Amino acid sequence: MNDTAPGNDVGPAADVGRWFSTATPAAGSTGRRGAPRLPAWGPMESSDYGLQSPPSELDAARDLLRGRPVAVLTGAGMSTGSGLPDYRGRDAVPRSPMTYQEFMGHDLARRRYWARSTVGWEQFNRARPGHAHQLLASLGRTLFATTAVITQNVDGLHQAAGSSPVLDLHGRLDRVRCQSCDTLSSRAALHARMLSMNPQLAARLPDLAADAAQAPDGDAEVDRTSSFRYPPCPLCGGILKPDVVFFGESARREVVASAFAALEQAQVLLVLGSSLTVQSGLRFVRAAGRQHKPVVILNDGPTRADPDATMRLHGRLEDVLEAWVTAVTRD
């Protein structure tokens, strides 16, 4: 179940901000070994952004979902209202994230990752559930029965909004996992420890974080912090890594198995805020098709599975979900 098959099936995003990206790709990059990679994230070229489905289509989709067990698959578009970036929407910033192989294979890469991550962590950690998260949690109690929210996001905002159960397909950024003994620990605790180990960066953290939030290359100065120190696992001395799926890494088998089980229990698959560019999300649409289950896709912009949708809705998530909540309340 590796998400790095050739072509478009690149793996999911470990970067939930602009702080963890690697080298900016050079014009004409060939992707050869040692050369800057082509951007894994960036806007999808399309004229489909900004379309609005008519109320009749929204009503038909709501009727299809009503009273049924529904598996919900969500992507980055769910969290843009919380200040977290989209990866392939019209405003996405092209960038190339660090791979699992880079992170595990090079001490300098880990220094660079953790330095950038330390700069970006507090801003990420301040994110709170947006209106879309709250509306989906409400619909899961009133319009349909949720077999699971299968999210490609790593921010934990569905749980904070009250959706249940939630399956974090790509992990959680607020956790750290030892790559040797598999022990989980708190990212917040690691953040505090790294600040104590790097007092010069800690003293400049507010300015560096402000720069990183303002522009994609705002953390360029952090790139030169090759002396950044990070701790090993306190239990076994192994390498600590965020508990998220990097490019070049596979999702955890038990989570994928639970997600497919939730789809089996569902009568409809609802996709919200995902371009379905990566295989890790697209495979659930394909599986629903093989099971002859309806697929409803709502996204502002094109998706890779548009031809596979039973109903393809266009519009802002917040607007459509709020219309459904209002209709349910009125009924």
Side-chain angles (χ1 to χ4, degrees):
M1 292 182 292
N2 197 303
D3 294 324
T4 56
N8 291 326
D9 294 346
V10 294
D15 180 1
V16 294
R18 306 175 205 169
W19 319 287
F20 314 150
S21 56
T22 57
T24 301
S29 171
T30 62
R32 65 187 182 278
R33 184 176 176 84
R37 297 188 308 279
L38 293 173
W41 300 326
M44 295 179 68
E45 294 185 8
S46 174
S47 59
D48 291 342
Y49 294 105
L51 298 180
Q52 299 286 329
S53 293
S56 59
E57 292 184 5
L58 303 186
D59 292 344
R62 188 182 73 249
D63 290 340
L64 178 62
L65 297 167
R66 188 191 304 273
R68 293 187 173 188
V70 174
V72 185
L73 175 66
T74 70
M78 284 293 300
S79 295
T80 54
S82 299
L84 300 180
D86 195 356
Y87 300 114
R88 296 180 181 89
R90 54 183 160 182
D91 298 323
V93 177
R95 55 199 188 276
S96 298
M98 184 173 291
T99 67
Y100 176 77
Q101 291 75 18
E102 286 176 306
F103 183 90
M104 293 300 297
H106 303 282
D107 172 69
L108 187 59
R110 291 192 292 275
R111 291 175 188 267
R112 185 177 186 221
Y113 180 94
W114 285 122
R116 287 185 166 217
S117 178
T118 299
V119 170
W121 167 252
E122 290 184 3
Q123 180 179 341
F124 168 81
N125 197 39
R126 286 196 296 269
R128 295 295 179 266
H131 197 36
H133 297 104
Q134 295 163 348
L135 291 167
L136 177 59
S138 175
L139 290 169
R141 296 188 295 267
T142 57
L143 179 62
F144 50 78
T146 305
T147 63
V149 174
I150 306 163
T151 185
Q152 300 170 88
N153 301 334
V154 296
D155 50 40
L157 295 180
H158 282 301
Q159 292 92 328
S163 286
S164 180
V166 179
L167 297 173
D168 298 297
L169 191 61
H170 298 162
R172 288 274 296 267
L173 199 65
D174 61 356
R175 300 185 304 228
V176 178
R177 186 179 294 271
C178 176
Q179 300 302 288
S180 296
C181 68
D182 208 42
T183 299
L184 283 173
S185 56
S186 163
R187 174 66 179 86
L190 179 63
H191 178 72
R193 187 175 181 192
M194 287 192 294
L195 287 181
S196 68
M197 295 173 68
N198 298 275
Q200 290 184 335
L201 183 143
R204 302 172 55 235
L205 188 61
D207 291 337
L208 290 172
D211 288 344
Q214 290 171 2
D217 59 352
D219 57 351
E221 191 170 353
V222 180
D223 287 346
R224 296 194 289 270
T225 313
S226 58
S227 60
F228 187 87
R229 299 174 60 208
Y230 61 91
C233 173
L235 296 180
C236 73
I239 294 174
L240 296 176
K241 172 185 163 293
D243 187 32
V244 295
V245 181
F246 277 38
F247 275 74
E249 186 180 12
S250 297
R252 295 182 72 85
R253 291 180 180 273
E254 65 272 21
V255 178
V256 175
S258 295
F260 276 113
L263 179 60
E264 286 279 354
Q265 297 164 8
Q267 293 181 7
V268 183
L269 175 63
L270 173 62
V271 181
L272 300 174
S274 175
S275 66
L276 297 168
T277 301
V278 298
Q279 181 66 21
S280 59
L282 181 64
R283 58 186 163 184
F284 294 102
V285 176
R286 299 279 166 81
R290 290 191 297 270
Q291 297 170 22
H292 305 291
K293 294 177 178 177
V295 176
V296 179
I297 298 178
L298 169 58
N299 195 53
D300 180 17
T303 84
R304 190 177 170 190
D306 283 356
D308 303 308
T310 308
M311 302 191 70
R312 175 63 169 95
L313 305 180
H314 298 267
R316 294 181 66 251
L317 294 181
E318 293 86 350
D319 294 342
V320 175
L321 298 180
E322 185 162 23
W324 287 349
V325 167
T326 299
V328 171
T329 303
R330 186 176 57 244
D331 294 345

